[in-house]
Amino acid sequence: MKLKYIYFIIAAFIIIVAAPSCKKDLAKANTNPDQITAEKYDPNLLLTTVQLGYPGATNFGGSAWATKWGAVGCFVQHVASTNSGFYYGDKYFNNITSMGELFQDSYTSSVQPVVELYQLTINKPQYRNLHQMARIMKAMVFEQITDQYGDIPYFQAGLGYYDRIYTPVYDTQKAIYADLLKEVSQATDSLDESADKPSGDILYAEASDQIKEWKMFGNSLLLRMAMRLTKVDVPTAQAYVKKVIGNTMQSNGDNAIINREITGNAITENQDGVQILGNDSTDLRLSSTIVNNMQSNSDPRLSVVAWLYQRDSSSNAVTDTTPSHQLGLPPGFIVGGANPIYDITKHKGYPIGNADGQYAGLYGYSRLNDNILSTTAPNLILTYAETEFLLADAAARWGTLAGLNGMSDAVTHYENGVNAAVMQLSAYGSFPSINSFNADKYYNIVKFTTTTNSNTALNLINTQYWLCTLMDEYEAWSNWRRTGFPVLTPTLYPGTGVTTIPRRLTYPPSQKTTNLANYNAAVARIIPGGDKMTSLVWWDKQ
């Protein structure tokens, strides 16, 4: 979609004139006063488009459903399903079309408008801050794509209109990350309190100090990007951690939240809710992995994120959010089939219904509560809790080498993170279990001390990261691949040929027809095994 030019009006005139004054009149007549050009278009509108579209594209059956939940949410065991067609990631089936949806959607729905925003604001003093925001959002968009696929078109991407590049080269993830870090660092440092205050910003335009919030957002994103390098480039990661200490988000009030509403335009709605509820409302369940974790630690968030749901004989909805009644679906099962080992109805603990309120059959397994899964639920795209967990990770992992005071700082940042992660659910509404008392009580159950060994601390820290990124499935999976925590047991469903949790998404089949030479060059670099979901992205070194 080219927002730069919405209308082209071509007028043809057959005029024979002799006087010079008539030539001037002719030039004036041939100028369309209604034409929207780069000079007339307000790029603030593109910032709004980019931010609204970042969590998921609006095409029905697209990546918000087919990739984010069909694959990634299942890989990281936030959710599970007995439906192997829609939710192929539960059993590691190689659905190459659905795995490639994020790639397809991102380049049309996110990359194009963010590159356009970048181009329309570069070297224009009136858009100084808007351009820096464009750089930060552009980096965030590409981070999400490269984290899932590895090498992708980056430096030439989105430049078809400007540079006539229609088959962009796939750049290495190593080169991409170097530029992402540079761009976010420079853009954040270049934000100017005395310059423009972009009106198209839906993250922080209503904050008392919009530019200060963006600086914290930029530094928090920079921290997240730097920590991706913990297995491949420790010195660079440590240097960026040192740079951002004290400049990241300071409270939940700084969270980057995209609020949603029904306006008649799909882009304003939460696409998780639109896609899952529109395509399927019964097959997706919370996994036993996450429900068991929350129940065993008396997590106050469970009654907010989970519920049991069915309809009675009169088709009225009957729901139950009682924490003790919640039951997660074990990954890797189907209903029926020739092999009873994989038949959920033969599994120990299969719900049969009882007087204590247990629902029978698949209705007895918990679903994502509509508090967090609805068309009007907000998207939390980067939070204070995540930032604090990353700082706790860096402190436990490197200590003074990253400018942090070892386990002492790890404990402090971890406590901040746990409390913030519980309280951030207030973004979805007011709930009896979400309060500071319950957050403190929960922290005392999952805490560690300065004498805890670093590996145990890293497990606790990143398990909490996994919990607080429920609904941000790409980020949860990326951090799990980076750290290995929490420890997840892969499903072993027969016939897939995959016995480990997938580590990357495969490219869409369309690339073999639209950009074959560059696709082949990228596939040849992927180790091990080429374009497979068991291969590794660059930063996921084993």
Side-chain angles (χ1 to χ4, degrees), residues 149-163:
Y149 296 97
D151 295 359
I152 58 169
Y154 175 66
F155 291 103
Q156 295 179 344
L159 295 175
Y161 173 80
Y162 291 95
D163 295 340

Side-chain angles (χ1 to χ4, degrees), residues 78-81 281-292 294-295 302-310 319-330 349 351 357-370 372-373 470:
H78 277 164
V79 291
S81 180
S281 60
T282 60
D283 288 329
L284 191 65
R285 295 288 188 270
L286 283 165
S287 79
S288 56
T289 311
I290 193 167
V291 172
N292 291 349
M294 299 181 87
Q295 285 178 329
L302 184 55
S303 62
V304 177
V305 305
W307 66 352
L308 296 165
Y309 179 103
Q310 68 176 8
T319 62
D320 181 1
T321 60
T322 307
S324 61
H325 291 176
Q326 303 309 310
L327 182 66
L329 177 68
Q358 184 187 64
Y359 295 2
L362 291 179
Y363 288 109
Y365 292 110
S366 301
R367 295 169 52 178
L368 289 162
N369 194 304
D370 72 350
I372 61 174
L373 179 67
L470 175 64

Side-chain angles (χ1 to χ4, degrees), residues 200-436:
D201 171 29
I202 61 173
L203 295 179
Y204 299 115
E206 296 183 2
S208 59
D209 191 334
Q210 180 187 24
I211 304 307
K212 180 181 178 181
E213 291 292 343
W214 266 91
K215 282 180 174 289
M216 289 189 286
F217 173 64
N219 281 314
S220 298
L221 179 61
L222 188 60
L223 172 65
R224 185 171 86 180
M225 290 176 171
M227 291 300 289
R228 287 282 198 271
L229 310 186
T230 53
K231 294 194 286 189
V232 290
D233 191 350
V234 172
T236 297
Q238 291 172 340
Y240 278 107
V241 172
K242 286 181 180 179
K243 173 180 170 59
V244 303
I245 290 173
N247 299 308
T248 55
M249 294 177 179
Q250 299 299 302
S251 74
N252 276 341
D254 304 321
N255 289 345
I257 300 174
I258 298 174
N259 289 308
R260 298 296 185 174
E261 60 182 313
I262 298 175
T263 62
N265 187 334
I267 199 171
T268 67
E269 299 176 13
N270 183 310
Q271 289 303 306
D272 295 332
V274 171
Q275 302 293 334
I276 293 176
L277 300 178
N279 286 286
D280 151 63
S281 60
T282 60
D283 288 329
L284 191 65
R285 295 288 188 270
L286 283 165
S287 79
S288 56
T289 311
I290 193 167
V291 172
N292 291 349
N293 177 286
M294 299 181 87
Q295 285 178 329
S296 64
N297 293 309
S298 300
D299 194 322
R301 293 170 288 190
L302 184 55
S303 62
V304 177
V305 305
W307 66 352
L308 296 165
Y309 179 103
Q310 68 176 8
R311 292 189 178 275
D312 62 18
S313 58
S314 300
S315 295
N316 297 312
V318 181
T319 62
D320 181 1
T321 60
T322 307
S324 61
H325 291 176
Q326 303 309 310
L327 182 66
L329 177 68
F333 287 88
I334 62 172
V335 174
N339 192 334
I341 295 176
Y342 305 101
D343 180 358
I344 192 64
T345 67
K346 304 295 192 298
H347 185 261
K348 181 180 180 181
Y350 182 71
I352 58 174
N354 58 40
D356 291 331
Q358 184 187 64
Y359 295 2
L362 291 179
Y363 288 109
Y365 292 110
S366 301
R367 295 169 52 178
L368 289 162
N369 194 304
D370 72 350
N371 293 323
I372 61 174
L373 179 67
S374 73
T375 56
T376 57
N379 294 110
L380 281 63
I381 63 172
L382 184 61
T383 68
Y384 169 60
E386 294 172 55
T387 303
E388 287 298 292
F389 289 137
L390 291 171
L391 288 170
D393 181 307
R397 192 181 296 270
W398 299 314
T400 56
L401 293 176
L404 293 157
N405 188 22
M407 292 302 293
S408 176
D409 277 356
V411 168
T412 298
H413 287 297
Y414 177 71
E415 181 177 4
N416 292 342
V418 170
N419 281 280
V422 171
M423 295 305 297
Q424 76 181 25
L425 289 192
S426 297
Y428 296 99
S430 178
F431 310 104
S433 66
I434 303 303
N435 54 63
S436 58

Side-chain angles (χ1 to χ4, degrees), residues 84 97 157 167 191 196 213 245 273 290 294 330 363 392 397 433 439 442 460 467 483 490 492 502-503 517:
S84 303
T97 300
T167 54
L191 288 164
D196 58 304
E213 291 292 343
I245 290 173
I290 193 167
M294 299 181 87
Y363 288 109
R397 192 181 296 270
S433 66
Y442 176 66
L460 289 167
L467 288 165
T483 66
L492 298 174
R503 313 286 302 191

Side-chain angles (χ1 to χ4, degrees), residues 97-116:
T97 300
S98 291
M99 273 193 285
E101 282 289 344
L102 174 66
F103 189 105
Q104 293 282 92
D105 288 352
S106 294
Y107 279 97
T108 55
S109 299
S110 295
V111 170
Q112 191 279 326
V114 82
V115 170
E116 190 84 356

